[in-house]
Amino acid sequence: MSRDNLYSLPRDRVGQFQFDADVADVFPDMISRSVPGYASILSVIEQLAGRFVRPDTNVYDLGCSLGAATLLIRNQAPSNVTIHAVDNSSAMIDRLRKRLDQASGGPDACDVELHLADLCDIALSDASMIVLNFTLQFVPAAKRHRLLQACFDALVPGGGLLLSEKVCFDDPGQQSLLTDLHLDFKRACGYSELEIAQKRTSLENTLVPESIPTHTDRLKDVGFGVVAPWFQCFNFASILAVKSTPS
């Protein structure tokens, strides 16, 4: 795993963050040193796959990046399931394709279909599980409700959606405290003040966080019967939403 030093040298101009080849090369290191609790969320995604993924259904990993969630779900999925890994970064999809070629998964492994596409344009159907793991925050705010509505409509009754996001807080004191604690985390993981500052600049207007109540209210609004925030570490959270079965 290559170490993330993309922002270690001063830049005359810090451009907008993109999931290009340079980011793909260091992405596992970048996200593990930037998102507290990331490994815990991945382990729970695998656990949830064992609970929610059903035979003869589809699973969608929307914003799959290098396929960390896809590969863990595949460990739990029946062989007649199809996992659709979707990302709009060709660099991420190319590297995931190589990872899948190297890890066949054995004779009982389910199919994984890769889609280089805007996740807002992908057709969803017959899904037992959908994962948006730190993805929605990069979708324009005006498109988020429609995307989650499409996810809800595509899920079979009893299906689950896992939504993980960087979040913000209405209370200024809480926002300031948890932001500071996150910065302390990044420093402890070896990022310099220059790296932190330049990365923050690159993500402005690209990663747009929302509050936990905003996420939960939207999930309820599109129809989910159970909406359960289950994880929070500083300003990162994960929510499980379940489509109710008919009574």
Side-chain angles (χ1 to χ4, degrees):
M1 180 172 64
S2 299
R3 187 169 177 83
D4 173 25
N5 58 7
L6 297 182
Y7 295 93
S8 61
L9 297 176
R11 300 186 180 191
D12 293 333
R13 179 181 178 275
V14 179
Q16 187 178 54
F17 185 87
Q18 295 181 341
F19 290 96
D20 56 16
D22 289 337
V23 169
D25 285 341
V26 301
F27 187 72
D29 182 67
M30 173 184 286
I31 196 164
S32 66
R33 295 167 60 209
S34 301
V35 179
Y38 181 69
S40 297
I41 293 172
L42 285 179
S43 68
V44 170
I45 288 174
E46 183 173 14
Q47 175 187 336
L48 293 175
R51 180 183 183 92
F52 286 102
V53 178
R54 301 181 189 176
D56 294 310
T57 63
N58 294 314
V59 173
Y60 294 90
D61 183 4
L62 301 179
C64 61
S65 63
L66 297 181
T70 289
L71 295 172
L72 292 171
I73 293 168
R74 198 185 196 195
N75 291 339
Q76 300 293 329
S79 59
N80 55 1
V81 162
T82 300
I83 301 174
H84 298 270
V86 184
D87 207 289
N88 65 357
S89 165
S90 59
M92 293 292 189
I93 290 292
D94 288 345
R95 283 161 177 76
L96 176 53
R97 182 174 288 110
K98 293 177 182 178
R99 294 185 72 184
L100 289 168
D101 290 342
Q102 295 168 358
S104 62
D108 296 326
C110 70
D111 290 336
V112 177
E113 295 187 6
L114 304 185
H115 303 267
L116 177 60
D118 185 325
L119 57 91
C120 292
D121 297 332
I122 198 83
L124 311 175
S125 65
D126 298 319
S128 55
M129 184 174 179
I130 298 175
V131 172
L132 288 151
N133 201 35
F134 301 105
T135 298
L136 194 67
Q137 60 201 22
F138 294 104
V139 173
K143 295 183 177 182
R144 294 177 186 181
H145 187 283
R146 184 177 62 183
L147 174 59
L148 291 178
Q149 186 68 66
C151 290
F152 175 82
D153 293 343
L155 282 166
V156 300
L161 179 142
L162 189 286
L163 174 68
S164 305
E165 290 281 289
K166 185 176 184 180
V167 295
C168 58
F169 305 90
D170 294 331
D171 179 80
Q174 186 178 9
Q175 178 68 43
S176 178
L177 172 62
L178 294 179
T179 298
D180 287 347
L181 290 172
H182 178 223
L183 294 178
D184 287 344
F185 170 83
K186 296 183 77 169
R187 295 181 186 106
C189 289
Y191 282 119
S192 67
E193 298 301 324
L194 176 64
E195 288 174 297
I196 291 170
Q198 293 192 142
K199 177 75 172 295
R200 180 172 58 242
T201 299
S202 75
L203 286 169
E204 287 179 358
N205 302 318
T206 300
L207 190 166
V208 181
E210 297 175 302
S211 68
I212 294 174
T214 296
H215 286 297
T216 56
D217 288 348
R218 184 188 290 123
L219 289 165
K220 292 174 184 176
D221 186 56
V222 301
F224 285 101
V226 177
V227 177
W230 67 272
F231 175 90
Q232 182 183 338
C233 186
F234 307 146
N235 47 357
F236 293 85
S238 190
I239 303 166
L240 175 63
V242 181
K243 185 172 184 175
S244 299
T245 56
S247 56

